[in-house]
Amino acid sequence: MTDTTRSSVPRKILVGGKWIESRSARFESVTDPTTNEVIGRVPLCSKSETDAAIEAAAKAFEIWRDVPAPRRAAILFKYQNILLREQNNLAHLVSQEHGKVLSDAAGSVRRGIDMVEFATGVPSLMQGRTLEDVSSQMDCHSWRQPLGVCAAICPFNFPVMVPMWFAPIAIACGNAFVLKPSEKTPLTSLRMAELFEEAGLPPGVLNVVTGDKEAVDALIENPTVKSLSFVGSTPVARYIYENGSKHGKRVQALAGAKNHLVAMPDANIQETVAALISSAFGSAGERCMAISVCVTVGDVAEPLLKRLVEETRKLRVGPGTDPASEMGPLVTREHMARVLRYIDIGAREGASLLADGRGYKVQGYPEGNWVGPTIFDNVNPSMTIYKEEIFGPVLCVVRVNTFDEALNLINANPFGNGTAIFTSDGMTARTFRKKVQVGMIGVNVAIPVPLAFFPFTGWKDSFFGTLHAHGQDGVLFFTEQKIVTSRWFDEKSDAKKRMSI
Ligand code: NAD
């Protein structure tokens, strides 16, 4: 038997209930972002291996679809309990392969478990509707049925939470599933699949293939796959949405972001600064709901920025797995280099650096992917650092004079994932909530991520599709609707008695 606990031994993939060695000639090393030591290797699966996983899922679907909904829910209840037992270990693994600090990792695992809890409600969530006597002696019922084989392609930044946005709901609804985690952070997803097996999920209902574009293209092209759920950058989301739709699939593609926080002159400075620090620099800015632009309105700028810079300097940057750290390293060397390039560009474009994260050192970890918290003031909307998603601990400050200017700035931005307003005026908050063209809005809340029972509603270039992830949208996405109109003839009834209206 192969010892898969050693980091040099490639991880197995899960196909049809069996953990098998991939025959791929291509592999990816997973590194600890704090040290850049290799902590695992995964195969980049070929088209034929991905097709085999799809075939195994199709076979399992034929049995799983007929398992009564309460029995499917019972497996999810068991899975939820196992995840609660394992949550600290999962958080540790997330922190190790991604770099985010333990408290952030634990929060994301908790959010993932919430999705499983939501999915246990499937006997209620999947119910159809009925109307008796839609016409003479006719009744009408709607039914929701599973789609078949569903697949998800996930990003690196939430190795537990994002796969959980999809797999538990799809499986609870009676579908079989193929998960393709990010090749940068696949280890936690593989562990989650092991735990699903422990909960009693039948073989083939969940399959996991590690890989890159080749595996993704196989999922897009294989006609057995009925739906694609994607989370990642906007260019890839657009590619998945366009090509998945072309291949006749139902697609939901959650994409990149540039999220603005508007600080009004009547905002509580202390609360706004605390919110900016956690939302811009938490998870080292590697969050699609991170605030990456602070829009200061009028004279709030001076007191806010003074305090923001003071508090930013106090942030403890260090290994994610050290409980004392408040911000960890970036996921890979390449990503660190990309973020540093953006800081160089911003400085060249003439934005004022209030905090410069370049050349950041953490004692004892010379090989870590460190970028310190960075703040650019006087950012102009025509600058590259404003226009593009940086996905690192870099906050741009745009100063405007009025609320309307702030609103117009946000509405002109092509992204529409999240936004927030900090104010003590209810009417300003209400106008903002009503007029802003963004899907998830916080009022004095910097990261307004909806809980499991609401959908995750990005807009514009932050989402391609119709039905969003989780909440009732998730149930609708993973089921097909059928309307049955039935009529039974009553031989004894007197036709004359029938009303002719
Ligand atoms: P990414 O787009 O590079 O990769 C996402 C997935 O797509 C991975 O599984 C990867 O293997 C695959 N992929 C990459 N290039 C591909 C290609 N050319 N063809 C087919 N598949 C390809 O994203 P990432 O760097 O892993 O994650 C960061 C991005 O995800 C950011 O843009 C962030 O905003 C976004 N994100 C969005 C949300 C949301 O809910 N809107 C949530 C989390 C992350």
Side-chain angles (χ1 to χ4, degrees):
M1 236 178 85
T2 329
D3 176 9
T4 50
T5 56
R6 282 188 294 122
S7 58
S8 56
V9 176
R11 292 305 180 101
K12 294 180 177 178
I13 53 172
L14 179 60
V15 177
K18 294 198 176 74
W19 289 92
I20 57 172
E21 270 170 38
S22 162
R23 277 171 281 110
S24 174
R26 299 187 305 127
F27 294 88
E28 179 86 16
S29 293
V30 183
T31 50
D32 178 341
T34 301
T35 58
N36 269 298
E37 276 166 30
V38 174
I39 54 171
R41 277 182 92 215
V42 287
L44 298 175
C45 289
S46 63
K47 174 175 165 30
S48 62
E49 286 175 317
T50 310
D51 284 340
I54 297 166
E55 204 178 303
K59 215 165 135 201
F61 171 65
E62 290 310 321
I63 298 164
W64 183 241
R65 65 177 305 167
D66 292 331
V67 172
R71 281 183 48 206
R72 298 199 303 262
I75 291 179
L76 283 144
F77 271 117
K78 213 163 160 207
Y79 189 38
Q80 184 197 7
N81 280 322
I82 292 170
L83 290 169
L84 287 168
R85 183 196 75 201
E86 291 294 321
Q87 59 182 324
N88 291 340
N89 295 332
L90 286 169
H92 200 274
L93 197 49
V94 170
S95 182
Q96 205 191 4
E97 68 173 341
H98 175 278
K100 64 178 77 182
V101 298
L102 274 173
S103 55
D104 280 337
S108 72
V109 170
R110 187 57 244 184
R111 283 293 174 99
I113 298 173
D114 288 350
M115 299 294 155
V116 179
E117 186 175 285
F118 172 74
T120 60
V122 76
S124 307
L125 295 168
M126 262 183 92
Q127 284 178 13
R129 304 177 75 176
T130 300
L131 181 65
E132 199 176 37
D133 295 323
V134 284
S135 182
S136 179
Q137 293 178 336
M138 285 172 106
D139 305 321
C140 200
H141 323 260
S142 74
W143 304 80
R144 300 214 73 92
Q145 296 189 333
L147 301 179
V149 177
C150 304
I153 300 146
C154 297
F156 76 80
N157 64 329
F158 283 106
V160 171
M161 188 181 80
V162 168
M164 293 291 203
W165 282 353
F166 309 112
I169 300 176
I171 288 171
C173 288
N175 299 286
F177 208 78
V178 180
L179 172 65
K180 207 259 351 130
S182 165
E183 62 277 35
K184 292 180 194 136
T185 54
L187 305 181
T188 326
S189 299
L190 292 169
R191 180 70 187 131
M192 276 161 46
E194 285 172 355
L195 298 176
F196 227 146
E197 284 189 300
E198 188 188 328
L201 193 70
V205 177
L206 174 65
N207 304 273
V208 186
V209 288
T210 50
D212 58 4
K213 184 170 167 39
E214 182 170 346
V216 172
D217 284 341
L219 292 170
I220 292 175
E221 287 160 21
N222 191 312
T224 302
V225 175
K226 297 297 174 221
S227 77
L228 292 171
S229 300
F230 171 84
V231 182
S233 58
T234 293
V236 185
R238 196 175 268 125
Y239 170 81
I240 306 269
Y241 180 69
E242 289 175 0
N243 285 287
S245 305
K246 206 167 76 190
H247 283 84
K249 299 184 196 322
R250 188 176 285 199
V251 187
Q252 50 181 192
L254 288 73
K258 199 81 182 172
N259 304 316
H260 301 64
L261 181 151
V262 178
M264 292 300 292
D266 60 1
N268 176 319
I269 299 275
Q270 190 182 335
E271 294 293 343
T272 312
V273 166
L276 278 167
I277 300 254
S278 74
S279 61
F281 305 131
S283 279
E286 292 169 325
R287 279 197 293 222
C288 69
M289 287 293 278
I291 291 294
S292 48
V293 183
C294 172
V295 189
T296 59
V297 178
D299 56 12
V300 76
E302 295 307 329
L304 182 88
L305 294 179
K306 184 170 177 294
R307 190 159 185 152
L308 179 65
V309 172
E310 280 166 14
E311 295 298 322
T312 299
R313 294 219 169 99
K314 293 184 199 158
L315 259 188
R316 286 192 302 268
V317 180
T321 48
D322 178 349
S325 302
E326 292 169 315
M327 190 180 115
L330 292 176
V331 67
T332 57
R333 278 255 164 88
E334 297 71 41
H335 190 56
M336 175 180 77
R338 182 175 176 272
V339 172
L340 290 173
R341 262 198 311 278
Y342 274 114
I343 302 177
D344 290 343
I345 291 171
R348 270 205 307 279
E349 284 179 324
S352 333
L353 263 172
L354 300 185
D356 186 349
R358 290 175 294 185
Y360 205 91
K361 303 256 183 303
V362 174
Q363 215 185 356
Y365 300 96
E367 298 300 322
N369 307 325
W370 308 112
V371 176
T374 299
I375 304 172
F376 277 113
D377 191 10
N378 298 311
V379 172
N380 179 315
S382 66
M383 291 177 181
T384 311
I385 52 167
Y386 175 79
K387 288 193 291 193
E388 295 180 15
E389 183 184 38
I390 299 174
F391 218 57
V394 180
L395 179 68
C396 294
V397 179
V398 182
R399 296 179 181 225
V400 299
N401 293 317
T402 64
F403 169 78
D404 283 346
E405 274 181 70
L407 188 63
N408 293 340
L409 177 79
I410 300 172
N411 287 349
N413 193 286
F415 294 108
N417 218 36
T419 189
I421 188 163
F422 275 65
T423 179
S424 36
D425 182 63
M427 195 57 207
T428 306
R430 183 177 188 274
T431 309
F432 184 76
R433 187 264 296 157
K434 207 168 166 188
K435 294 197 169 169
V436 77
Q437 288 159 22
V438 171
M440 289 171 277
I441 301 155
V443 175
N444 297 320
V445 173
I447 311 182
V449 176
L451 291 172
F453 29 87
F454 282 105
F456 193 95
T457 49
W459 281 22
K460 302 197 279 187
D461 282 359
S462 297
F463 178 73
F464 303 95
T466 306
L467 290 166
H468 293 268
H470 61 78
Q472 193 60 28
D473 269 29
V475 177
L476 299 183
F477 182 82
F478 288 116
T479 51
E480 193 76 80
Q481 189 160 223
K482 208 176 238 181
I483 308 289
V484 179
T485 306
S486 49
R487 181 177 187 184
W488 296 96
F489 304 102
D490 183 356
E491 301 295 329
K492 291 183 210 131
S493 83
D494 181 353
K496 284 184 199 156
K497 280 193 202 155
R498 286 190 204 147
M499 296 176 78
S500 57
I501 49 173

